[in-house]
Amino acid sequence: ILRPRGPLTWLDPGPFGTLGVGGGFALGAGLARPDSSIWIIYGDGSVGYSIMEFDSMDRHGVPAIALVGNDACWSQIAREQVTMLGAPTACQLAYSDYHTVVRGFNGLGIQIQRVDEATDAFNDAIKTANLGQAVLINALIGKTDFREGSISV
């Protein structure tokens, strides 16, 4: 469970159609508080909307760390769509190489496929961000029924 570290340290877009705002939020937070650690928690669907912001982070010196939970699916949408319509049409994605894209914007890209790789990945990410470079950790995860029955807004 993630908890804010203090007042005014957590930006959450809420549930109303603001998919992909993480990159812009991180950029603004990093510019407003340059001595703070900036983390972005993405799904693979949302990172596709703002991965270009790693170029902006590089140009403006914002060494954010992004963690992508990559399950190769628009799972939040598929969960209801399959139940209601019987098919996951347009919800299936690829296990895309988001970590490779970030390297093109002078960031460090790390892919993890197993839980035992996570500690080293996080340590490398923190060390790299502390040296001034943005990082994206592309965590390949499996499918789950987590939040089954919840309502997406």
Side-chain angles (χ1 to χ4, degrees):
I1 294 177
L2 301 173
R3 289 185 171 79
R5 295 179 181 169
L8 303 175
T9 62
W10 182 271
L11 295 173
D12 187 330
F16 300 113
T18 50
L19 184 64
V21 300
F25 274 17
L27 186 59
L31 292 172
R33 294 195 175 186
D35 295 328
S36 295
S37 278
I38 307 298
W39 286 78
I40 312 166
I41 310 301
Y42 277 126
D44 52 339
S46 65
V47 74
Y49 277 91
S50 66
I51 198 163
M52 292 296 293
E53 293 299 350
F54 279 87
D55 176 58
S56 301
M57 290 178 212
D58 180 52
R59 287 185 287 113
H60 293 283
V62 175
I65 301 171
L67 173 63
V68 180
N70 186 346
D71 67 352
C73 185
W74 287 85
S75 294
Q76 182 178 0
I77 304 305
R79 182 176 54 244
E80 290 182 43
Q81 181 175 312
V82 171
T83 301
M84 292 171 60
L85 304 174
T89 305
C91 291
Q92 301 303 316
L93 304 174
Y95 280 104
S96 296
D97 293 336
Y98 300 111
H99 57 289
T100 301
V101 174
V102 167
R103 292 176 190 152
F105 298 124
N106 200 34
L108 173 65
I110 302 168
Q111 182 184 66
I112 56 177
Q113 298 180 32
R114 298 182 324 272
V115 172
D116 64 346
E117 298 172 328
T119 299
D120 287 342
F122 281 103
N123 288 336
D124 290 347
I126 292 167
K127 184 171 98 178
T128 299
N130 286 338
L131 294 173
Q133 186 179 20
V135 181
L136 183 142
I137 301 170
N138 187 15
L140 305 185
I141 60 176
K143 307 292 185 210
T144 178
D145 61 0
F146 175 69
R147 295 182 59 185
E148 186 70 36
S150 64
I151 297 173
S152 298
V153 179

